[in-house]
Amino acid sequence: MTLTAVPSQSLVTPQLEISGGRRLSGDLRVSGAKNSALVLMAACLLSEDGLRLRNVPPLTDIAAMGEILAALGVGVRRGGDWIEMDGRTLNKSAPPYELVNSLRASFFCIGPLLARLGVARVPLPGGCQIGTRPVVEHVKGLKALGAQVTIEHGVVSAVVPGRGHRLSGGRIHMDCPSVGATETLMMAAVLADGETVIENAALEPEVVDLAGLLIAMGARIRGAGTPSITIVGVDRLHGADYAVIPDRIEAGTFLLAAAITRSTLRVSPVIPEHLGAVLTKLEEAGALLEADGTAMTISAETINAVDLRTQPFPGFPTDLQAPFMSLLATAKGTSVITENIFENRLQHVAELQRMGAAIRMQGNTAFIEGVHRLSGAPVQGSDLRASAAMVLAGLAAEGITRVQGLEYLDRGYADFEGKLNAVGASIRRHGG
Ligand code: EPZ
């Protein structure tokens, strides 16, 4: 008799095992936006009063940001979907290196620390699977506000020279509409002396959400959501109680889960203006969408090929490029997807090919010839959106798909498999 050693759960690489081919039905709840909550948390450093954020998603990145703020001396309390931060006790200008390494978003601390303390030392966020992720625009803008900035040994050190350590307002023209740089410079400028104008600013909803919070804290900002943001500095900011916007990328991922399984699902809350390009592409592909209040109902029977190119907002979002490619791998006809934002965000193509997808690559463009049915296989997610894309492909595939790369998935999606199982999917998590 041959004994097959069954590795204990702790030895199994964390993975999701998906039994595909099932139709979904019911309601999916969208959590607060990860890419808003993280930068809103950093804004607590700007004030000596308490900041309370609601509709905060329960994600590993959120917990990591809380640890970083606590290490800076901020009092942090978490509840169900809320988090309270007390910036009064801020007593450090440099987050600990070992914590920062685990969370790129910790770089959001540099702007508020510099504005509040006149000094900040934050390790470079560094590259990741999808690209080099430079911070040139952040550094250029901080210098335009009067900071001296040096980068040595992987650490960005910024200081405001002279008495009073207060930044001075100025005109900043960004070479590219960087989301993170726009947010960093907004937080630096709100306490600066005088007026700041940020030209070629990012238009993303998360930028507008940050402006909403800062204005609630007493900042003077106009033009958020347009390419030109004007900020008049104030002496201090007070606390606020503020709700994070819904996560448009999670919402889009759930809409795609309905489309790829040819199901009808109700997703809420959804703010249609935050997903305009995605909703347009879904309808162009043949999905039927119906908005009712803050909910969006999607149904899909036949999905046809469409072409898409990722662009800064309001163009098609790069964060939904991989999930949408999974859908188009099962569409009728040949689609063309071009990734224009990140230099290395097409690694999921090889994984989809393992599942039988017919995709040909040419530079940053993928030509996807839809197949009738994908086949389940063991696959790997290379960033949080690629991991989600592989789960979507598994929902539609024949047989069993095993998706590794949950360390990425869990950073961006709260209880992803739990939410999908509640509407009829069959997903089991193994190994943590
Ligand atoms: C934010 O990253 C999001 N992350 C990303 O979401 C999202 O993909 C990205 O915006 C684009 O929408 C958070 O908000 C935490 P960028 P960010 O600066 O701010 C280049 C996810 O999956 N660039 O707008 O880092 C850069 O190389 C993540 O949730 C420069 O060239 O994005 C990239 O090609 C992934 N110079 C492009 O701009 C700079 O100084 C977009 O980067 C800065 C950026």
Side-chain angles (χ1 to χ4, degrees):
M1 177 176 76
T2 53
L3 289 175
T4 48
V6 178
S8 71
Q9 280 296 316
S10 60
L11 294 179
V12 170
T13 307
Q15 56 191 274
L16 291 182
E17 179 187 282
I18 302 143
S19 171
R22 301 163 68 97
R23 275 247 186 326
L24 309 180
S25 68
D27 289 25
L28 273 171
R29 180 99 192 122
V30 177
S31 302
K34 162 185 89 89
N35 288 348
S36 188
L38 289 169
V39 66
L40 299 188
M41 287 173 73
C44 79
L45 297 167
L46 289 164
S47 168
E48 294 175 11
D49 294 344
L51 174 60
R52 178 183 170 88
L53 295 178
R54 287 173 280 112
N55 198 34
V56 176
L59 298 169
T60 51
D61 274 9
I62 297 293
M65 179 62 102
E67 284 175 38
I68 286 167
L69 295 173
L72 291 168
V74 172
V76 179
R77 277 182 351 110
R78 279 206 70 178
D81 76 342
W82 57 265
I83 188 165
E84 282 176 356
M85 294 152 286
D86 181 352
R88 184 186 5 260
T89 48
L90 170 65
N91 57 20
K92 288 193 182 62
S93 60
Y97 198 94
E98 67 282 357
L99 284 182
V100 167
N101 254 353
S102 69
L103 179 68
R104 297 192 70 262
S106 52
F107 200 69
F108 282 130
C109 296
I110 195 164
L113 284 174
L114 193 59
R116 176 91 180 276
L117 303 176
V119 62
R121 278 172 49 79
V122 183
L124 275 171
C128 64
Q129 303 73 21
I130 62 177
T132 54
R133 313 298 293 274
V135 291
V136 170
E137 298 303 327
H138 309 62
V139 172
K140 200 174 73 174
L142 292 176
K143 287 179 176 174
L145 297 178
Q148 287 175 353
V149 186
T150 55
I151 302 179
E152 286 172 344
H153 313 302
V155 176
V156 180
S157 299
V159 64
V160 184
R163 288 180 314 107
H165 71 245
R166 193 175 183 195
L167 289 165
S168 310
R171 177 173 291 278
I172 301 165
H173 191 104
M174 295 205 293
D175 289 349
C176 68
S178 159
V179 175
T182 303
E183 293 165 338
T184 289
L185 298 173
M186 282 168 65
M187 291 191 285
V190 290
L191 293 178
D193 185 16
E195 180 174 280
T196 295
V197 179
I198 304 172
E199 298 287 4
N200 197 18
L203 312 180
E204 270 70 4
E206 292 75 25
V207 170
V208 177
D209 206 25
L210 173 61
L213 168 65
L214 294 172
I215 289 166
M217 295 169 75
R220 294 174 59 194
I221 302 175
R222 64 177 189 278
T226 77
S228 177
I229 301 176
T230 301
I231 297 166
V232 178
V234 295
D235 290 337
R236 64 182 299 279
L237 293 181
H238 50 72
D241 182 335
Y242 191 83
V244 177
I245 53 173
D247 194 316
R248 63 193 170 101
I249 305 302
E250 185 190 28
T253 307
F254 287 152
L255 292 172
L256 285 161
I260 201 168
T261 55
R262 309 300 189 266
S263 306
T264 296
L265 280 179
R266 186 170 179 276
V267 179
S268 71
V270 173
I271 301 175
E273 306 79 66
H274 290 179
L275 274 174
V278 179
L279 301 180
T280 300
K281 281 298 168 186
L282 278 168
E283 287 180 324
E284 194 184 315
L288 300 176
L289 294 171
E290 189 186 339
D292 64 320
T294 59
M296 180 72 69
T297 298
I298 177 170
S299 58
E301 287 180 9
T302 305
I303 291 294
N304 305 307
V306 295
D307 296 344
L308 56 93
R309 308 171 55 81
T310 62
Q311 299 291 343
F313 193 88
F316 190 93
T318 173
D319 293 349
L320 284 171
Q321 178 260 107
F324 214 107
M325 187 184 289
S326 292
L327 172 65
L328 294 177
T330 70
K332 286 187 187 318
T334 299
S335 305
V336 182
I337 292 184
T338 304
E339 171 57 51
N340 296 307
I341 302 295
F342 287 108
E343 64 266 34
N344 189 26
R345 203 173 200 179
L346 288 163
Q347 297 169 71
H348 45 282
V349 167
E351 301 305 306
L352 286 170
Q353 287 169 333
R354 287 161 63 87
M355 298 179 71
I359 305 175
R360 186 169 54 82
M361 291 300 299
Q362 196 169 347
N364 62 342
T365 298
F367 298 84
I368 304 120
E369 189 182 336
V371 296
H372 176 64
R373 174 75 79 188
L374 295 172
S375 57
V379 289
Q380 168 79 35
S382 49
D383 76 276
L384 75 95
R385 309 303 175 185
S387 295
M390 300 324 297
V391 174
L392 295 192
L395 292 176
E398 182 72 41
I400 300 292
T401 299
R402 289 184 175 79
V403 179
Q404 293 186 6
L406 305 195
E407 65 277 20
Y408 302 120
L409 186 75
D410 294 341
R411 295 179 47 201
Y413 294 93
D415 189 21
F416 195 55
E417 73 267 23
K419 291 185 176 181
L420 289 171
N421 284 337
V423 292
S426 173
I427 308 174
R428 289 175 55 206
R429 181 177 285 245
H430 296 285

